[in-house]
Amino acid sequence: MKEVKGFDTHLLKNGFHRINLLNQSSPLLFLKSLSKELDTPIYIKRDDLTEIGTGGNKLRKLEYLLAEAKNQNANRVITIGARQSNHARLTAITGKMLGFEVDLILKNSVPLDTESYQLNGNLVLDNIVDANIHEIPNDGTASNFILSLTKHYETEGDRVYFIPVGGSNIVGGLGYARSVYEIEEQSQALGVDFQHIALASGSGGTHAGLIAGYEILGKKAFIQAYNVQPDREPILGETKKITEGILEIFGISANPDYHLSNDYVGEAYGIPNKETLATIKHLAKSEGVFLDPVYTGKAFTGLINDIKLGKYPKGEPILFIHTGGVTGLFAYSNWF
Ligand SMILES: *Cc1c(COP(=O)(O)O)cnc(C)c1O
């Protein structure tokens, strides 16, 4: 959305700038075949089709994060993620577009050593835009590595801006608070009132932004996030921290509910299970929509199963946020 009156001006007044990366609203579509099958109207917000770098939810966060980097006169952006990170890919692409040097610290946090995982998917795109890639083991040394890399560049005269994993902090979360206005505009045009929203959560920023956005808008919505990290408490803690931070900027004291399900995590982060793969195939064949193996495949499995279990009110429309990650499928080619 070009402009969200009130929201945008309030943030500007409080020193939170935004660089416009997205010029169009992402499509909000009805899933005809699946809705019929489950006897429940299911819609999908195609944030996987946002317009830069093969799309994904991180772009909304990067609009605010990279604006802050510019404002701090940084010339170099450093971020961290798993080897197959969508966030790292989009940071690399948008960072380059805006003239930054970009360093990606890629942690070997997914226990896969197939050639396709090691060499394909997002990494190809990271390399196309000439991001500096630093591969590190998954042994708890990441924060030391970040510190020494930052120091190294700073002694060379660079100004470094660090983006945390998933772009999930208060600044990044603003992008998803803002997206609520886009969702509301589109649902009004469709004549549908979404009281139930479902999405994948990995580092909490998207979930937090949506919760905060609905509070700011003053609308009640049940936002069900499906965690893809086996540990629930740290993600829940981050989600609360980011939500409260955003609400504080808007001077809102609220006590929102947090719905974070760990029922569909599977055995580990980045490892799809049988159900995840079946859901990916099913949605591809029935709707032509491709989910990803790390996030949305698990979350959509949760949505379908929870609908079947009667956890969503019968007949009421549900909006699933497709947060992207399709490039990730190519790192898992031997699973299909
Ligand atoms: C990063 C990511 C998520 C999770 O978003 P968070 O804000 O980190 O919780 C979900 N889906 C995809 C495809 C992602 O890349």
Side-chain angles (χ1 to χ4, degrees):
M1 281 178 97
K2 277 254 148 46
E3 194 191 348
V4 182
K5 287 208 183 78
F7 185 91
D8 288 348
T9 45
H10 182 83
L11 285 180
L12 269 179
K13 258 194 289 185
N14 286 274
F16 296 94
H17 295 255
R18 186 175 69 86
I19 288 176
N20 205 63
L21 293 171
L22 304 173
N23 294 295
Q24 294 174 335
S25 300
S26 68
L28 197 163
L29 305 168
F30 181 55
L31 294 178
K32 205 163 145 196
S33 154
L34 201 75
S35 298
K36 191 164 169 216
E37 179 189 326
L38 296 171
D39 198 16
T40 297
I42 305 171
Y43 291 75
I44 191 162
K45 174 76 172 150
R46 299 293 306 271
D47 275 7
D48 60 318
L49 297 180
T50 40
E51 64 213 67
I52 291 173
T54 73
N57 64 337
K58 303 309 180 308
L59 290 169
R60 294 188 191 272
K61 302 174 176 189
L62 287 160
E63 288 199 317
Y64 286 96
L65 291 162
L66 293 178
E68 187 173 77
K70 278 273 180 230
N71 272 347
Q72 294 180 2
N73 288 320
N75 66 314
R76 185 178 292 276
V77 171
I78 300 182
T79 197
I80 180 160
R83 195 172 170 82
Q84 175 45 57
S85 164
N86 304 306
H87 163 67
R89 179 238 314 158
L90 287 172
T91 302
I93 296 167
T94 53
K96 288 285 176 167
M97 286 168 64
L98 296 172
F100 293 100
E101 286 296 321
V102 180
D103 287 69
L104 306 177
I105 301 171
L106 300 182
K107 219 166 35 164
N108 233 332
S109 48
V110 174
L112 289 179
D113 55 11
T114 54
E115 192 176 326
S116 62
Y117 182 78
Q118 293 297 327
L119 301 176
N120 283 325
N122 287 313
L123 261 185
V124 176
L125 307 189
D126 300 342
N127 283 322
I128 287 176
V129 298
D130 293 325
N132 301 312
I133 292 174
H134 310 268
E135 294 171 36
I136 63 165
N138 189 30
D139 59 358
T141 56
S143 41
N144 276 341
F145 189 88
I146 294 165
L147 278 179
S148 63
L149 189 68
T150 303
K151 215 164 157 192
H152 162 76
Y153 282 130
E154 282 174 352
T155 52
E156 292 196 340
D158 282 351
R159 283 184 68 96
V160 172
Y161 182 82
F162 178 70
I163 299 180
V165 77
S168 282
N169 57 17
I170 294 166
V171 174
L174 293 172
Y176 266 89
R178 192 174 193 272
S179 80
V180 169
Y181 290 84
E182 187 175 304
I183 293 170
E184 280 307 297
E185 185 185 78
Q186 290 176 310
S187 23
Q188 277 169 22
L190 284 168
V192 190
D193 183 25
F194 294 110
Q195 314 236 336
H196 288 80
I197 292 177
L199 74 150
S201 185
S203 59
T206 304
H207 188 201
L210 287 168
I211 296 171
Y214 276 101
E215 291 289 344
I216 296 164
L217 196 70
K219 190 186 158 174
K220 277 256 157 293
F222 190 103
I223 303 167
Q224 178 65 60
Y226 293 96
N227 196 4
V228 300
Q229 306 278 3
D231 279 355
R232 183 171 180 275
E233 285 316 305
I235 302 301
L236 188 62
E238 276 303 303
T239 309
K240 287 185 177 168
K241 207 169 78 187
I242 297 168
T243 306
E244 286 164 9
I246 297 173
L247 291 177
E248 201 183 310
I249 297 170
F250 284 85
I252 294 170
S253 58
N255 208 358
D257 294 326
Y258 296 88
H259 307 283
L260 180 66
S261 164
N262 254 50
D263 294 349
Y264 304 94
V265 171
E267 62 176 278
Y269 171 77
I271 302 292
N273 60 19
K274 236 178 41 231
E275 289 75 27
T276 322
L277 301 178
T279 303
I280 292 172
K281 280 177 173 284
H282 187 55
L283 214 67
K285 288 191 276 187
S286 59
E287 303 281 355
V289 173
F290 285 82
L291 299 165
D292 83 288
V294 180
Y295 298 93
T296 53
K298 290 183 179 179
F300 211 93
T301 302
L303 173 64
I304 292 177
N305 208 48
D306 284 353
I307 289 172
K308 288 181 179 164
L309 290 171
K311 291 191 179 171
Y312 291 88
K314 190 105 201 117
E316 285 189 23
I318 302 168
L319 179 64
F320 181 81
I321 314 287
H322 192 330
T323 39
V326 173
T327 329
L329 279 173
F330 302 103
Y332 291 76
S333 51
N334 55 315
W335 293 64
F336 293 96

